[in-house]
Amino acid sequence: MYKGKGNFIVLIALVSVFTVYNAVLYMGEETSSSSAPRMSKEAIRGEQLWQENNCTACHQLYGLGGYLGPDLTNVISDPAKGSDYVRTFLNSGVKSMPQFDFSTEEQNAIISYLEHVNATGYYPNYDSEFSKDGWVTIKYK
Amino acid sequence: MKLNVSILFLLAGLIALLIAGFIGMIISIVYINPDLLKDIIPFNRLRPIHTTSAVSWIVLTATGGIYYYLTRVERLKLYSERLQKTHLVLFLCLGVVIYMCYIFGVMGGREYLEFLPVLIIPVLLGWVLFGINYFKVVWKKIKDGPVYFWMWGTGILFMIFHLTEAHFWAITDIRSDFIKDLTIQWKSYGSFVGSWNMLVYGTAIYLMSKMKKDGELARGKKVFFFYFLGLTNLMFGWAHHTYIVPTAPWIRYVAYGISMTEWILFLNIVYIFIKNLGQAERKIYAMPYRFLMASEFWVFVNLLLALLMSIPTINYYTHGTHITVAHSMGTTIGINTCILLASVSFIAKKLNPNNTVENTLVYYAFLFFNGSLFIFWLSLVIGGIYKAVWSAENGHSSFAQMHENSSPIFVVFILSGCLLFISLAIIVHQLFKDLGESVYQQEKK
């Protein structure tokens, strides 16, 4: 028996578990615990615009993204902000934000996207519960 | 005379490093001067130039090194030199196209892969070409071969898998489920980084075993245990990026558990650190040796930070702050860049023992590089703590105020970033000179 055999067995075992894990993750309904409905066509169009203009370079969703601008996960449901507030920002070219030139229809799509994101959960998740083992139970929408 | 393709990969990598550093320096200034270049080329186009260049530096240099070690040091014959050339030409052309995309704002991809999504197809093709050449060469030797052969092979295969996975959003069924989509996205990034780490850490082990002339260092139960531990983390440990995203709790439980196994890695590094590398051929390989030692230090600091950040309670506060940036800069610059500079300076010495990568200027640049990186890293941690406190206070002041108040930290961050770039440029200049002489090689009789 050559020395490498044990290594191959471990490798195959790991890859097998990984395959099952991926399948559950990709196909399972459980991956997202948010009860938000599927994204509408308009929201997907908004996400497309979000990507084409690389809003992520500066903005975060769930704390993921760039750091120059604020997180936008719940900007829609923020009592001091909301859709109209977002609309005024889009073509404003405020601070480092580029001077965009979105049509009304495009603005609606972006807002629809942010509305969808807002419906999926909270960030920051202020009502989380901390336990002694280091775990954090987050609050779902 | 014949072109040495491996060296061209390394030179392309060094150019990418200079671009990454230079653009990084420019965009950091936007933090205190938001109007900088705004009407010419705004931040949302510059940032991807910076990040793509940084990733290209890592990937091209690791690849060039592997090609070089296989053919020049191990004296193995490539399956096809034509494939290797095609790989290089493909990546160089892609580089030009991707930079053009960013400059003219033709984007559409996700973070870190912002270029037009179809371009991922030729990127993947390049990796497949590399994979074919690699496995054709090492397949027979891999069975009881040294661990770096396993690591490089794993890096190539998982790179292909995770670059594909990062584009699963193109499937409507996934895309329309926002949380699932976001989760898969960040899963792929975590593992994407894990994949290039396999290439880079494999290189580090290769260098250590060559410099110590100790082939056993890369064999045996212990190194393979760490290889499998790293692989397990690559596969299952990514979810600390998404602790705060409302995914199913089991995904996060698994990630928490797996991430904590890295403490074993951490303790082992402390052990190696204390034991030190021993009497490697320090005289000849003074520079590669120093870079490797520096990378050990950065592994120590960053792994400690990463471990803390993987504890959900701490992650709750550090997530979405510059502490995350400190971690990514610390690992890409401190660990990956140090190892890759060790690799390139090792190759420079191999090409010609009269090359003087260890000259006084480069030595001082090396010291400045590490010193400025430490200040840079620390300023990001402090900036991150400040933002975490602001965020926990929930609404005491606006984002704009918080950003404004962080200015003094940003100034330190920018200044140390400039120093970092200058010292890197000095090192790269020397390496460029050394490697440039060997782009053409004598045809073997």
Side-chain angles (χ1 to χ4, degrees), chain A residues 54 56-59 66-69 96-98, chain B residues 23-24 26-31 34 36-38 41-49:
Chain A
N54 198 15
T56 308
C58 304
H59 290 292
Y67 299 84
L68 264 179
S96 55
M97 188 152 150
Chain B
I23 302 290
I26 302 288
I27 60 177
S28 66
I29 302 174
V30 179
Y31 275 85
L36 185 80
L37 294 175
K38 185 173 157 181
I41 176 160
F43 186 87
N44 56 334
R45 299 185 194 175
L46 285 172
R47 185 183 191 247
I49 298 183

Side-chain angles (χ1 to χ4, degrees), chain B residues 164-442:
Chain B
T164 310
E165 189 184 41
H167 288 80
F168 277 6
W169 59 264
I171 303 166
T172 316
D173 194 53
I174 289 183
R175 185 171 202 178
S176 62
D177 185 341
F178 180 80
I179 295 297
K180 185 190 266 188
D181 182 3
L182 189 71
T183 308
I184 294 177
Q185 190 72 37
W186 281 85
K187 170 184 189 300
S188 76
Y189 292 158
S191 310
F192 176 43
V193 173
S195 310
W196 85 50
N197 279 338
M198 282 282 172
L199 301 178
V200 176
Y201 295 167
T203 302
I205 296 178
Y206 182 83
L207 288 175
M208 280 193 215
S209 77
K210 292 294 153 182
M211 278 157 48
K212 280 186 85 172
K213 291 209 157 103
D214 178 4
E216 285 312 299
L217 197 140
R219 293 166 195 272
K221 285 216 170 74
K222 192 169 156 196
V223 281
F224 272 91
F225 169 77
F226 284 112
Y227 159 73
F228 285 120
L229 189 66
L231 183 58
T232 311
N233 270 282
L234 185 167
M235 290 172 165
F236 309 105
W238 51 273
H240 43 248
H241 294 290
T242 52
Y243 278 151
I244 210 75
V245 177
T247 51
W250 71 266
I251 299 174
R252 289 172 292 129
Y253 276 127
V254 170
Y256 183 25
I258 300 278
S259 299
M260 290 303 113
T261 61
E262 290 212 9
W263 282 106
I264 306 172
L265 205 67
F266 182 69
L267 294 175
N268 185 55
I269 281 160
V270 176
Y271 171 72
I272 294 179
F273 213 45
I274 294 168
K275 215 177 90 182
N276 100 51
L277 276 176
Q279 298 300 320
E281 285 186 65
R282 282 199 211 175
K283 273 242 175 70
I284 319 173
Y285 297 120
M287 238 24 238
Y289 177 79
R290 287 187 192 121
F291 275 119
L292 277 188
M293 285 311 279
S295 79
E296 291 283 343
F297 167 76
W298 290 109
V299 169
F300 174 81
V301 181
N302 282 297
L303 199 54
L304 184 63
L305 186 66
L307 279 163
L308 294 175
M309 283 163 69
S310 296
I311 298 171
T313 309
I314 298 179
N315 183 278
Y316 176 87
Y317 295 102
T318 60
H319 181 78
T321 72
H322 283 93
I323 296 178
T324 318
V325 190
H327 173 64
S328 61
M329 296 289 159
T331 48
T332 49
I333 308 177
I335 307 174
N336 291 322
T337 297
C338 278
I339 293 174
L340 292 170
L341 287 174
S343 169
V344 182
S345 42
F346 178 83
I347 292 173
K349 274 300 198 194
K350 279 263 171 208
L351 287 170
N352 183 355
N354 297 327
N355 279 333
T356 52
V357 279
E358 67 282 3
N359 69 35
T360 324
L361 183 64
V362 176
Y363 177 61
Y364 280 113
F366 165 81
L367 294 181
F368 268 99
F369 166 80
N370 284 291
S372 50
L373 179 58
F374 191 72
I375 300 172
F376 185 77
W377 184 87
L378 211 57
S379 67
L380 286 167
V381 172
I382 295 170
I385 294 173
Y386 186 73
K387 186 173 177 195
V389 171
W390 168 80
S391 182
E393 279 177 345
N394 185 12
H396 281 194
S397 61
S398 72
F399 175 86
Q401 270 169 309
M402 181 276 297
H403 189 90
E404 193 78 31
N405 293 345
S406 307
S407 299
I409 305 168
F410 291 147
V411 171
V412 177
F413 160 70
I414 294 166
L415 290 178
S416 53
C418 292
L419 261 182
L420 190 61
F421 172 70
I422 294 168
S423 42
L424 263 180
I426 293 170
I427 298 167
V428 170
H429 174 251
Q430 179 66 38
L431 290 171
F432 225 89
K433 251 179 30 197
D434 290 350
L435 294 188
E437 288 165 3
S438 307
V439 170
Y440 283 98
Q441 75 210 33
Q442 299 295 336

Side-chain angles (χ1 to χ4, degrees), chain B residues 84-123:
Chain B
Q84 188 199 21
K85 261 190 207 138
T86 315
H87 180 192
L88 176 74
V89 173
L90 183 65
F91 271 17
L92 292 183
C93 293
L94 267 170
V96 174
V97 174
I98 289 175
Y99 280 133
M100 287 300 148
C101 273
Y102 292 155
I103 291 172
F104 294 107
V106 187
M107 295 180 279
R110 294 272 173 95
E111 195 178 9
Y112 304 116
L113 302 162
E114 293 91 340
F115 47 79
L116 282 181
V118 287
L119 290 176
I120 197 63
I121 296 168
V123 173

Side-chain angles (χ1 to χ4, degrees), chain A residues 2-8 10-11 14-15 17-18 21-22 24-34 37-39 44 47-48 51-58 60-71 92-100 113 116-117 120-128 130-131 133-141, chain B residues 30-31 34-35 38 42-44 47-48 105 107-111 114 139 142-144 150 158 161-162 165 168-169 172-184 186-187 224 227-228 231-232 235-236 238 241-254 256 311-313 316-317 319-322 324-325 387 391-392 394 399-400 403:
Chain A
Y2 60 84
K3 273 188 276 169
K5 194 160 178 183
N7 291 336
F8 268 106
V10 178
L11 184 65
L14 266 179
V15 170
V17 178
F18 186 56
Y21 171 84
N22 279 333
V24 174
L25 206 99
Y26 298 152
M27 289 183 284
E29 287 299 313
E30 294 295 309
T31 304
S32 56
S33 288
S34 109
R38 291 287 177 134
M39 240 155 93
I44 290 184
E47 187 180 46
Q48 187 71 33
Q51 287 176 207
E52 284 167 8
N53 294 286
N54 198 15
C55 307
T56 308
C58 304
Q60 308 175 307
L61 294 174
Y62 285 103
L64 302 165
Y67 299 84
L68 264 179
D71 187 285
S92 67
V94 62
K95 299 229 168 116
S96 55
M97 188 152 150
Q99 179 69 58
F100 294 114
Y113 172 57
H116 181 86
V117 174
T120 59
Y122 303 97
Y123 184 81
N125 206 301
Y126 289 117
D127 295 325
S128 301
F130 298 87
S131 30
D133 58 5
W135 188 250
V136 176
T137 310
I138 57 173
K139 189 176 157 204
Y140 292 92
K141 233 177 202 170
Chain B
V30 179
Y31 275 85
D35 291 324
K38 185 173 157 181
F43 186 87
N44 56 334
R47 185 183 191 247
M107 295 180 279
R110 294 272 173 95
E111 195 178 9
E114 293 91 340
W139 186 246
I142 216 166
K143 275 184 265 175
D144 31 27
W150 287 66
F158 278 82
F161 177 63
H162 291 294
E165 189 184 41
F168 277 6
W169 59 264
T172 316
D173 194 53
I174 289 183
R175 185 171 202 178
S176 62
D177 185 341
F178 180 80
I179 295 297
K180 185 190 266 188
D181 182 3
L182 189 71
T183 308
I184 294 177
W186 281 85
K187 170 184 189 300
F224 272 91
Y227 159 73
F228 285 120
L231 183 58
T232 311
M235 290 172 165
F236 309 105
W238 51 273
H241 294 290
T242 52
Y243 278 151
I244 210 75
V245 177
T247 51
W250 71 266
I251 299 174
R252 289 172 292 129
Y253 276 127
V254 170
Y256 183 25
I311 298 171
T313 309
Y316 176 87
Y317 295 102
H319 181 78
T321 72
H322 283 93
T324 318
V325 190
K387 186 173 177 195
S391 182
N394 185 12
F399 175 86
H403 189 90

